[in-house]
């Protein structure tokens, strides 16, 4: 055992001489295009990756055997990295600095993105072959996850932290959004949320198949139709202010549908940037936000 540890120390010293620090990142997701329960009882979601990122910078320190995390309140990151090192029987010290553009507690996968970016950063420093399935294993020890370890849109069993299927890259879109306020603890919300009934489970099954086809065809109008239905079905589980306002925007030229964070506070309209008069539609929508004293937030997946 001592010989193995000494080999690890020699390896880390060699790595440190070549890589003084490592940086990596992970994207957030604007809520979910679709979330619910299937007839077999599987709880699932479909991710909507956006350009907001969490970035993790790892600075090694060979004089300590502990990795400190900054900011210190990112305790889930610390748990994840400690598990990762135990899994590979590596003793490593240093400072892991996490910077995020993703607001916390809003349903944009801030916590998951922090963890994924951190795992990628430390793994890159160690030259560890980390696949998404290994990241799933690490995150499974901590909490349900949003599937942000995959760059494209995926169907994800978030409670089991397991990939259900890859759906592919989404067509370009702009999301004009609003924060309905407050913070939602997604874990507590999922525990208290009303159970789905059989009729809803079969609707989700059909919507998931419709979404698979729509993404394959890059049909943003159909993607928006599915996300709107999912948002409507979720309204009785987590009521959102401004819901009627956003639903009323769906008849506008270039607006494809409504999308929400099912266990968060965000709601938005999907705009097709390639639609005829998309710029005019965006200007009109922003004016309506202003008239209602709603602060607009603009996100893209590009």
């Amino acid at each position: 055992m001592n010989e193995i540890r000494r080999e690890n120390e020699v390896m880390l010293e060699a790595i440190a001489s070549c890589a003084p620090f490592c940086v990596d990142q992970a994207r957030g997701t604007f809520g979910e295009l679709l979330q619910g329960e299937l007839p077999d009882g599987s709880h699932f979601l479909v991710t909507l990756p956006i350009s907001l990122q969490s970035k993790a910078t790892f600075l090694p320190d060979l004089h300590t055997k502990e990795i400190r995390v900054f900011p210190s309140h990112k305790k889930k990151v610390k748990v994840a990295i400690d598990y990762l090192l135990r899994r590979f029987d590596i003793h490593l010290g240093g400072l892991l600095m996490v910077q995020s553009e993703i607001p916390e507690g809003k349903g944009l996968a801030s916590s998951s993105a922090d963890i994924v970016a951190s795992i990628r950063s430390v793994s890159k420093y160690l030259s560890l072959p980390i696949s998404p399935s290994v990241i799933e294993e690490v995150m499974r020890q901590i909490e349900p996850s949003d599937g942000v370890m995959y760059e494209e849109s995926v169907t994800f069993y978030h409670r089991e932290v397991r990939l259900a299927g890859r759906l592919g890259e989404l067509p370009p879109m702009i999301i004009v959004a609003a924060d309905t306020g407050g913070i939602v603890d997604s874990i507590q919300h999922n525990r208290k949320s009303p159970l789905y009934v059989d009729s809803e489970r079969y609707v989700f099954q059909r919507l998931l198949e419709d979404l698979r086809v729509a993404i394959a065809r890059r049909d943003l109008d159909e993607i928006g139709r599915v996300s709107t239905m999912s948002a409507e079905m979720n309204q009785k589980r987590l009521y959102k202010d401004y819901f009627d306002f956003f639903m009323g925007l769906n008849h506008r030229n270039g607006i494809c549908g409504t999308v929400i964070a099912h266990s968060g506070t965000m709601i938005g309209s999907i705009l097709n940037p390639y639609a005829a008069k998309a710029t005019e539609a965006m200007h009109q929508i922003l004016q309506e936000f202003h008239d209602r004293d709603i602060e607009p937030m603009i996100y893209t997946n590009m």
Side-chain angles (χ1 to χ4, degrees), residues 10-296:
V10 170
M11 177 192 71
L12 293 175
E13 289 172 1
I15 291 172
S17 66
C18 300
F21 67 94
C22 274
V23 182
D24 218 315
Q25 58 277 322
R27 291 201 289 172
T29 174
F30 190 91
E32 304 80 21
L33 287 171
L34 176 64
Q35 180 172 326
E37 183 181 359
L38 297 173
D40 66 1
S42 299
H43 290 262
F44 77 99
L45 57 79
V46 175
T47 59
L48 198 177
I50 53 175
S51 58
L52 290 186
Q53 293 185 333
S54 177
K55 181 175 73 173
T57 303
F58 177 64
L59 188 63
D61 182 353
L62 299 181
H63 299 97
T64 180
K65 299 298 182 185
E66 180 186 6
I67 293 181
R68 293 171 295 156
V69 175
F70 178 85
S72 59
H73 74 270
K74 305 275 188 182
K75 298 186 184 303
K76 293 175 183 177
V77 169
K78 172 67 172 169
V79 173
I81 296 304
D82 287 348
Y83 177 87
L84 178 73
L85 297 180
R86 287 196 307 273
R87 184 189 189 280
F88 288 95
D89 193 24
I90 293 174
H91 300 271
L92 177 67
L95 179 63
L96 183 61
M97 297 166 284
V98 181
Q99 299 168 283
S100 182
E101 306 168 334
I102 309 170
E104 298 181 357
K106 301 298 181 180
L108 304 185
S110 61
S111 178
S112 294
D114 286 346
I115 295 170
V116 172
S118 298
I119 292 172
R120 287 174 174 170
S121 178
V122 173
S123 300
K124 180 188 289 186
Y125 172 77
L126 294 169
S127 298
L128 291 176
I130 298 296
S131 65
S133 62
V134 173
I135 298 178
E136 288 176 6
E137 177 192 331
V138 175
M139 298 187 73
R140 201 172 292 128
Q141 317 304 313
I142 304 169
E143 64 177 1
S145 167
D146 309 82
V148 296
M149 65 286 294
Y150 298 94
E151 294 299 317
E152 73 269 43
S153 182
V154 298
T155 306
F156 201 75
Y157 297 135
H158 51 290
R159 296 189 180 186
E160 302 171 31
V161 192
R162 181 168 59 87
L163 178 69
R166 296 175 183 263
L167 300 176
E169 293 292 334
L170 294 168
M173 67 181 75
I174 298 172
I175 303 169
V176 191
D179 182 357
T180 60
I183 292 176
V184 176
D185 183 323
S186 59
I187 296 176
Q188 291 299 320
H189 166 71
N190 287 329
R191 287 174 179 168
K192 297 177 181 179
S193 184
L195 297 176
Y196 294 104
V197 298
D198 284 341
S199 60
E200 290 176 310
R201 296 185 185 102
Y202 284 104
V203 170
F204 283 125
Q205 184 179 47
R206 187 187 73 246
L207 289 175
L208 180 56
E209 183 55 36
D210 291 345
L211 190 55
R212 285 194 188 103
V213 174
I215 292 175
R217 293 177 176 173
R218 301 182 68 77
D219 184 342
L220 196 51
D221 286 326
E222 179 66 2
I223 291 171
R225 182 190 70 82
V226 171
S227 69
T228 300
M229 290 192 65
S230 188
E232 288 179 303
M233 293 175 71
N234 196 71
Q235 185 69 349
K236 67 181 180 182
R237 290 180 165 78
L238 185 59
Y239 179 85
K240 283 183 172 54
D241 291 333
Y242 313 144
F243 186 81
D244 291 340
F245 166 68
F246 277 91
M247 292 295 289
L249 297 176
N250 287 338
H251 70 279
R252 298 294 185 87
N253 179 66
I255 297 297
C256 303
T258 301
V259 63
I260 64 168
H262 291 70
S263 55
T265 65
M266 303 298 293
I267 181 170
S269 289
I270 297 173
L271 175 74
N272 183 349
Y274 297 111
K277 300 183 179 179
T279 303
E280 181 181 336
M282 174 66 85
H283 183 268
Q284 292 175 352
I285 290 168
L286 292 176
Q287 184 61 51
E288 291 203 34
F289 271 64
H290 179 268
D291 293 344
R292 289 166 173 76
D293 198 26
I294 301 172
E295 180 182 357

